[in-house]
Amino acid sequence: VYWVIVWTGCLVWFGFTGFSSCFLSREAYKFHSLSLLNYDKERAERKIVEYKRAQRELPRDLLQSHREVSQRIQWQRNQLERAEPGPQREYEAVLDRLAQGLGDSVKRFSSEGNREAAKDALYRLRLVESEVRAEPSSSGIQN
């Protein structure tokens, strides 16, 4: 397991379950990359399908993570769909800081020889960069 510290102050880990985990109460949500949230949701959904196909009991933490990321996506979409400019500016600033942090993580993991962590961080960086380049009116909102 390796760690990446995200600017929101929560630790995001990759490894055992294959998706990031950041449990925050609804009141404590902060903006994050919608691309990364959707990526994490899809990974959790693939894990759920794997468990169901194997007719194994779903781990509670997996279900909780999926539910949390789904709620967070919905909360963020609702915030960004408002016509107010403040949330949009905050979201764009978050994406810039997140891209910077992921870029630093790619360099650090590469210099440490941690190829898998570097590849994952690079993929996430590319997702955030494409979200930054997306047309502002789209607010990065994806289904």
Side-chain angles (χ1 to χ4, degrees), residues 51-127:
Y51 275 94
K52 286 182 177 183
R53 281 190 184 144
Q55 297 180 347
R56 294 174 39 206
E57 185 177 341
L58 295 168
R60 285 188 186 165
D61 64 332
L62 176 60
L63 292 172
Q64 182 178 358
S65 296
H66 181 265
R67 184 174 24 255
E68 178 70 20
V69 76
S70 296
Q71 290 171 348
R72 192 167 180 189
I73 289 167
Q74 188 59 47
W75 173 85
Q76 187 162 320
R77 284 180 178 161
N78 290 340
Q79 297 300 309
L80 293 173
E81 287 172 353
R82 295 179 182 176
E84 302 165 15
Q88 183 65 37
R89 282 194 301 270
E90 182 183 346
Y91 173 62
E92 291 167 1
V94 164
L95 292 179
D96 289 339
R97 287 191 299 265
L98 189 55
Q100 179 64 44
L102 286 167
D104 293 344
S105 293
V106 170
K107 291 175 192 170
R108 187 178 75 252
F109 290 140
S110 295
S111 69
E112 293 171 354
N114 192 341
R115 182 175 163 82
E116 289 304 310
K119 282 175 38 179
D120 189 63
L122 181 60
Y123 180 75
R124 290 172 179 273
L125 174 60
R126 296 293 180 246
L127 287 174

Side-chain angles (χ1 to χ4, degrees), residues 33-51:
S33 163
L34 280 169
S35 295
L36 292 182
L37 290 172
N38 281 310
Y39 175 69
D40 289 343
K41 181 181 175 187
E42 290 168 11
R43 289 179 75 172
E45 288 170 349
R46 284 194 298 271
K47 277 287 233 199
I48 289 169
V49 168
E50 289 174 20
Y51 275 94

